[in-house]
Amino acid sequence: MDILQDGISQSISDAPPAHYVVRVELFSLLAKNSIEKYVSEKFEAGGYKWKLVLHPSGNKGKNIKDHVSLYLALDEASLPHPAWEIYANFRLFLLDQNTDNYLVVQDATGKERRFYKMKAEWGFDKFITLKEFNDASKGYLVDDTCAFGAEVYVCKERSRSKGESIVMVKDSFTYKHVWEINNYSKLDLECYDSKTFNAGSYEWKIKLYPKGNGPGFGSHLSLYLALSNPSTLSPVSKIYAQITLRILDQKQAKHHFGKANYWFSSSNHERGASRLIPLSYFTSQYQGFLVKDSCLVEAEVQILGVVEALS
């Protein structure tokens, strides 16, 4: 066994790979047809599904040049749940067609590799130099044909410890909901709720306190956005959202609003403004917020991120 740089060992085997072989005809056309990466079909080993990942001219994503890059990838769909981990030893093969033996490449230390959702691929950036691979005397590429293979031996499996996953949302959509409130002067309850509406994968409602709430009681109109069913969230789950709460000006379109980013959760499911607008200003006949004893309230919700438990 020869131990090379980067902790890679090479050996020769007269036995073919036990689990999978990828035979490539007209190998040179992969690069000519701009195929920088080829992923094999799934194969089974140790009770899981795997794939071979071949970069015929080197892994461009890692700036590898003048080499063939070859990797073993776990098919994540074969995991029993997202927090599952698989520890495996593996060997990758290249057929020497002159001798009918195989060049075997593996980790020099024999260290098992941990495959899981966030790291499902292991292998060798510099599996073999293109110079050696293309050398006809080596037998790896004969008549523009070659064969790669893999053996995978699962050592142990386990579920990772509990945790959470933070997923930020790129180019998120803004949801809007308008609530018309009639007979405002006759509202005599402490709080009123709008109809439930959807934003993202969650149900929400607007909460209006006609006479104010908390620091705004008696002097301001208070307005909040709330999750409709916070009990359905796990204790770990959180939603990071940008919200805009707006009282619409029905005369001059000079709307009054408050805007902020908040975390929502099962224990903190109502966020907003206790002092959104002074009651005297809101009810003034010179303004357009309350017209014919009716007002329009609007909520905008943009989901920026979500935290979920690692299951």
Side-chain angles (χ1 to χ4, degrees), residues 34-222:
S34 302
I35 300 176
E36 296 182 355
K37 175 182 177 181
Y38 176 76
V39 180
S40 77
E41 290 298 312
K42 303 171 189 176
F43 63 93
E44 186 171 345
Y48 297 94
K49 301 288 187 180
W50 308 85
K51 294 173 284 188
L52 269 176
V53 181
L54 169 68
H55 296 257
S57 300
N59 189 340
K60 300 296 190 295
K62 294 185 176 182
N63 200 31
I64 302 300
K65 300 177 182 179
D66 303 322
H67 286 77
V68 173
S69 301
L70 190 63
Y71 306 92
L72 175 72
L74 172 69
D75 176 36
E76 295 176 30
S78 68
L79 293 173
H81 58 76
W84 200 249
E85 298 179 336
I86 302 167
Y87 291 78
N89 282 317
F90 65 93
R91 305 196 301 166
L92 301 183
F93 291 67
L94 176 60
L95 175 63
D96 177 351
Q97 299 171 68
N98 292 339
T99 64
D100 201 31
N101 289 326
Y102 287 85
L103 173 70
V104 182
V105 179
Q106 64 189 102
D107 186 273
T109 64
K111 180 181 179 181
E112 58 198 28
R113 294 299 183 182
R114 180 168 65 115
F115 293 83
Y116 63 109
K117 188 172 183 179
M118 292 183 65
K119 177 62 175 174
E121 184 176 290
W122 286 96
F124 307 103
D125 298 333
K126 298 179 179 180
F127 179 75
I128 188 172
T129 66
L130 284 173
K131 181 179 179 180
E132 184 178 6
F133 178 74
N134 289 313
D135 185 346
S137 67
K138 300 291 186 180
Y140 302 130
L141 189 64
V142 175
D143 295 329
D144 211 14
T145 297
C146 58
F148 300 91
E151 287 183 351
V152 189
Y153 299 98
V154 174
C155 306
K156 62 182 178 182
E157 308 141 271
R158 72 173 189 180
S159 180
R160 295 199 310 276
S161 57
K162 293 181 179 179
E164 61 188 66
S165 172
I166 304 172
V167 181
M168 300 307 293
V169 180
K170 184 180 181 180
D171 301 325
S172 56
F173 184 78
T174 299
Y175 300 85
K176 290 186 179 182
H177 180 73
V178 177
W179 178 23
E180 182 177 6
I181 304 169
N182 297 311
N183 302 313
Y184 189 89
S185 62
K186 297 180 180 180
L187 301 182
D188 55 3
L189 298 180
E190 178 188 3
C191 179
Y192 290 85
D193 292 353
S194 73
K195 291 183 179 179
T196 296
F197 64 95
N198 292 320
S201 302
Y202 308 94
E203 293 186 337
W204 306 83
K205 59 185 177 182
I206 305 170
K207 298 179 72 72
L208 170 75
Y209 292 79
K211 297 179 181 179
N213 180 52
F217 181 74
S219 61
H220 288 72
L221 181 149
S222 302

